[in-house]
Amino acid sequence: MIAIACDHGGFALKEEIKSWLTEKGIEFEDFGCNSTASVDYADFALPAAEAVASGKCEKGILICGTGIGISMAANKVRGIRAACCSDCFSAEMTRLHNDANILCMGGRVVGAGLALKMIDLFLNTEFEGGRHATRIAKIADIEKAQYEK
Ligand code: RB5
């Protein structure tokens, strides 16, 4: 199950992504928003990121105008490694090296063709582990220290 969410700046791209996921037979849960009316991206990043952090959804796709605000919001949820990408190399590398569990994109930055290619790479690339597991464990250590302050 893939969690998907957006703000108004990502709504049009989210609808294209949903059609593609449906065509591919990939199940998703849509956490909104549901129109181009102005909203605040954090309100939609939170439930989608929580669904990924809890394990209810295995990965997430979040879209705002730039992909930046919604990635910042998602990364505040414990256990989330959200990567804002606008190229295929980064979308693949963030799975291989960062074990990213959420891909963020800008609906005003990337076209649907590029977005779908990035999603394909993101969903189908396994984490390499090894030295990269040590590195992401250190990110979790930072998170733990911040929560325990
Ligand atoms: C909304 O206008 C825009 O600021 C938002 O979609 C996003 O780009 C923020 O990072």
Side-chain angles (χ1 to χ4, degrees):
M1 179 70 72
I2 303 300
I4 186 162
C6 67
D7 75 354
H8 53 289
F11 176 73
L13 182 56
K14 186 188 72 172
E15 295 307 294
E16 298 214 48
I17 293 168
K18 282 165 57 184
S19 300
W20 184 84
L21 291 171
T22 302
E23 265 172 41
K24 297 275 176 196
I26 300 169
E27 286 190 310
F28 60 85
E29 182 167 350
D30 184 356
F31 291 87
C33 67
N34 299 312
S35 77
T36 54
S38 183
V39 292
D40 301 327
Y41 48 79
D43 294 336
F44 301 91
L46 178 61
E50 282 181 331
V52 175
S54 73
K56 184 181 175 206
C57 292
E58 67 196 56
K59 289 193 181 92
I61 300 167
L62 301 181
I63 314 113
C64 65
T66 59
I68 296 170
I70 208 160
S71 65
M72 288 178 170
N75 276 316
K76 295 296 181 194
V77 174
R78 195 170 192 176
I80 292 303
R81 291 179 301 281
C84 181
C85 297
S86 53
D87 65 274
C88 290
F89 179 75
S90 300
E92 185 177 19
M93 292 306 290
T94 201
R95 287 291 310 131
L96 289 170
H97 286 190
N98 313 126
D99 199 16
N101 47 17
I102 294 186
L103 175 66
C104 302
M105 294 174 288
R108 297 171 184 156
V109 179
V110 298
L114 175 55
L116 299 177
K117 184 67 192 162
M118 288 196 290
I119 291 168
D120 200 24
L121 287 163
F122 181 74
L123 297 182
N124 293 301
T125 303
E126 293 300 319
F127 178 46
E128 257 180 31
R131 67 189 188 280
H132 304 296
T134 308
R135 290 167 186 164
I136 65 166
K138 290 190 179 187
I139 299 177
D141 288 345
I142 294 172
E143 197 173 54
K144 188 164 182 281
Q146 292 293 314
Y147 274 90
E148 287 170 2
K149 254 185 188 172

